Amino acid sequence: MPDPITVAVLRHRLSAIAEEMGEAMLRTAYSQILNSSRDFSIALIDARCRLVAQADHIPVHVGAMPWAARALTEAFPEPAPGEVYLLNDPYRGGSHLPDLTVFVPVFGDRRLLFWSVVRAHHSDIGGATHGAYNPAATEIWQEGLRIPPIRLTEGGVLREDLLAMLALNVRHPRDFRGDLAAQIGAARLGGQRLASVVAELGAAELTRAVDAILDAAERQSRAIVAAWPDGVYEGAAFLDDDGFGRRDIRIHARCTVAGSDLTVDLTGSDPQVTGFVNSSHANMQSAVTMAFAFLLDPDQPRNDGAFRPLRVVAKPGTVVWADEGAPVTMCTSHCANEIVEAIVVALAPACPDRAMGGWGRRLRIALAGRDPRNGRRFIWHMFQARPGGGGSSEGVGWSTIGEWHSAGGIKFGSIEVAETRFPLVFETHEFRPGSEGAGRHRGGYGAAMRLRVETDGPAVANTAGEGVVHGARGILGGQDGAPHDYRLLAPGAADRKLGSKEVGIAVPSGSVLDIRSGGGGGWGPPAVEAAAPAG
């Protein structure tokens, strides 16, 4: 067994490698969605496809990465040193099509030891509509370019023919190439840093130390679950709709605590739907893992060992595990958020001090048009006006923090930079009072934003998300946050309320997007004021 000091130092060193990879990605990516909003994640995965370390980025990305590593290993059982591998297929461990995942293998003693992994959301991935989200899709082939596990290099050199084929299928090939190059660079940096660790410790000692790190995290998690009362706990959450007439789509979680083991059974969830709020298997597994992680200690490592007490039961053909071919692009947000919500609602009575009110739901806008300042076409993704987070036993929720699936990892970025890059003017961007769910500790505020669009000719917008019917869930007697209210104020036209799943919305130049995002759910019953004395 390696000594405890070596194990502790190695754990922090691996985390530091993941963090350095993230900084490299942030500073070299081309598109605003990555270098400003930070919609990417880093993971170090061992040869047994176990999550060893991650940086604090997007939780729903990371939980699916071991499943991607399994799919890659099946496709390439003998990966070669110096090569780069790629995938995005949600049915082979991807999150959704816009998230491309780059893998670089790391070897020691002539055998595979690690994968250095970078997953990043690209601003476009082809398909029937701009911006990667197609609310009209009824099958995955309408959502964009689908990439199974492939080898992107030959002898360590990028295959230009393959890269050209990929870039030809997206609307902004320059950004695509630049962002993918940033991913490859960050993954190779991680590979170099890991190779230094292998050289210092040796493959055998390093493998034993990794086992010890994971075993320690398992002990921490089991001690937490063992403190919860044994029993069966149930909770449910609801999606607004699928965009094709199905409403109030139910996600059901039956959680069984038995000693230090936790089983989450999602088989009671509704059948899969027509629209893109279905989840793939890897994303569902990630969402359950994410919910469990939120109930652990904040300073605890989130790795394979930490999640060993967790067992997941689900059924193919349901909204949480759709059959291959179903559209799933919205799943990283929805139904991932609803899976988390159902589990937290179920387990809140068992661990009230660890549970938190619901976080706001994602409702994004992708705007495509021409910039009159330079004549270029652009795609802009709205990361501003984020919803509020839920209250907890520790206090009120964070305002405009974002959604559960990103846990604050996605930033709305600089308004000034956005105005410089795109033909947009932010007239207001502030908290939205009254959007929060009341409680002993209230939820955080959503945002109120007025955004003026100044394009060369009309722009086109798509909306994609949830939360115009169901707001963020209150917990343990707390109240729900307010739902979203998005409106288009076009010159000379009546105000138009925007739905959550619309395609091809005409946005004339001079229009204002009036965005009011939902607040977080409250924790615990609100204080009851004493009645005023009579007379």
Side-chain angles (χ1 to χ4, degrees):
M1 282 289 294
D3 66 90
I5 294 177
T6 298
V7 172
V9 170
L10 179 62
R11 178 171 75 82
H12 290 287
R13 187 169 178 182
L14 294 175
S15 295
I17 291 171
E19 290 167 4
E20 184 182 4
M21 292 167 63
E23 289 301 309
M25 181 70 195
L26 181 67
R27 284 161 171 72
T28 56
Y30 276 37
S31 64
Q32 160 255 350
I33 202 169
L34 299 178
N35 62 29
S36 181
S37 297
R38 303 172 183 238
D39 196 349
F40 62 85
S41 296
I42 309 295
L44 304 180
I45 294 173
D46 73 3
R48 294 164 59 185
C49 300
R50 301 181 302 180
L51 176 64
V52 175
Q54 61 173 299
D56 289 334
H57 290 115
I58 315 300
V60 77
H61 283 169
V62 181
M65 286 189 197
W67 299 92
R70 292 185 182 101
L72 184 66
T73 302
E74 289 176 5
F76 297 94
E78 296 184 3
E83 305 292 18
V84 176
Y85 299 84
L86 178 72
L87 65 79
N88 80 335
D89 187 1
Y91 293 102
R92 285 158 183 81
S95 295
H96 58 175
L97 292 181
D99 287 341
L100 271 64
T101 309
V102 167
F103 300 80
V104 168
V106 180
F107 291 80
D109 291 345
R110 298 183 180 181
R111 61 187 176 93
L112 177 68
L113 295 180
F114 291 101
W115 292 103
S116 174
V117 188
V118 180
R119 178 165 290 185
H121 185 115
H122 286 244
S123 61
D124 189 81
I125 196 64
T129 188
H130 70 272
Y133 289 83
N134 180 12
T138 58
E139 56 184 15
I140 194 171
W141 296 278
Q142 297 165 336
E143 297 188 292
L145 180 63
R146 189 175 175 190
I147 307 169
I150 61 173
R151 193 178 70 187
L152 198 56
T153 55
E154 188 170 351
V157 179
L158 282 173
R159 286 189 53 185
E160 181 57 36
D161 58 343
L162 188 53
L163 185 59
M165 186 277 292
L166 297 173
L168 188 65
N169 281 277
V170 302
R171 290 173 176 81
H172 289 275
R174 177 184 176 274
D175 281 4
F176 177 86
R177 285 174 172 266
D179 291 340
L180 185 57
Q183 288 184 256
I184 293 169
R188 281 176 164 165
L189 173 64
Q192 292 167 6
R193 297 291 186 262
L194 284 168
S196 296
V197 177
V198 175
E200 290 178 27
L201 287 182
E205 181 69 7
L206 179 56
T207 300
R208 287 192 292 269
V210 166
D211 287 341
I213 290 170
L214 302 184
D215 290 344
E218 179 182 7
R219 288 192 294 272
Q220 288 179 272
S221 291
R222 289 197 178 280
I224 291 168
V225 176
W228 301 346
D230 285 359
V232 177
Y233 304 89
E234 299 193 46
F238 294 88
L239 293 152
D240 292 350
D241 63 86
D242 73 337
F244 291 88
R246 284 274 298 277
R247 291 182 168 80
D248 294 329
I249 302 157
R250 181 174 181 258
I251 311 293
H252 180 267
R254 179 183 175 91
C255 302
T256 302
V257 178
S260 64
D261 292 310
L262 171 65
T263 299
V264 174
D265 186 339
L266 300 176
T267 56
S269 300
D270 279 354
Q272 68 185 68
V273 297
T274 303
F276 65 175
V277 296
N278 296 298
S279 180
S280 63
H281 175 264
N283 183 77
M284 175 270 293
Q285 292 279 355
S286 184
V288 177
T289 299
M290 179 169 54
F292 183 53
F294 290 161
L295 301 176
L296 300 176
D297 292 338
D299 58 351
Q300 180 177 345
R302 266 62 172 173
N303 58 32
D304 178 87
F307 306 132
R308 287 175 186 166
L310 179 63
R311 175 174 171 262
V312 181
V313 180
K315 183 169 63 176
T318 58
V319 67
V320 300
W321 185 358
D323 295 329
E324 184 165 349
V328 294
T329 295
M330 200 68 227
C331 73
T332 55
S333 299
H334 306 289
C335 60
N337 275 25
E338 287 70 30
I339 293 172
V340 174
E341 185 174 287
I343 293 168
V344 173
V345 167
L347 289 173
C351 54
D353 291 344
R354 293 178 179 272
M356 71 296 292
W359 286 38
R361 302 191 174 194
R362 183 78 171 110
L363 179 47
R364 65 191 304 131
I365 294 177
L367 188 71
R370 188 179 298 277
D371 190 334
R373 300 169 298 181
N374 53 31
R376 294 176 184 165
R377 303 292 301 179
F378 70 89
I379 298 175
W380 176 76
H381 293 265
M382 190 187 82
F383 280 89
Q384 286 72 22
R386 300 186 71 74
S392 70
S393 62
E394 296 297 314
V396 301
W398 289 95
S399 294
T400 63
I401 189 66
E403 307 84 14
W404 242 331
H405 75 279
S406 60
I410 292 178
K411 314 299 181 184
F412 67 67
S414 166
I415 285 174
E416 291 77 15
V417 170
E419 289 179 329
T420 300
R421 292 180 177 178
F422 303 97
L424 306 170
V425 176
F426 291 83
E427 296 180 350
T428 61
H429 192 287
E430 55 197 21
F431 291 151
R432 179 191 175 192
S435 60
E436 74 284 4
R440 179 179 173 187
H441 295 139
R442 64 167 175 80
Y445 297 128
M449 179 182 81
R450 286 175 58 92
L451 176 69
R452 191 167 73 251
V453 179
E454 297 184 339
T455 48
D456 179 7
V460 177
N462 300 333
T463 62
E466 277 285 321
V468 297
V469 176
H470 298 288
R473 184 73 163 270
I475 204 85
L476 296 169
Q479 295 180 3
D480 294 352
H484 301 306
D485 184 6
Y486 286 18
R487 297 178 183 272
L488 172 64
L489 315 180
D495 294 0
R496 179 183 186 288
K497 186 176 177 66
L498 296 176
S500 61
K501 301 170 184 69
E502 293 194 53
V503 179
I505 305 165
V507 181
S509 186
S511 296
V512 170
L513 293 170
D514 186 5
I515 307 298
R516 299 176 186 275
S517 62
W523 182 91
V528 179
E529 296 183 5

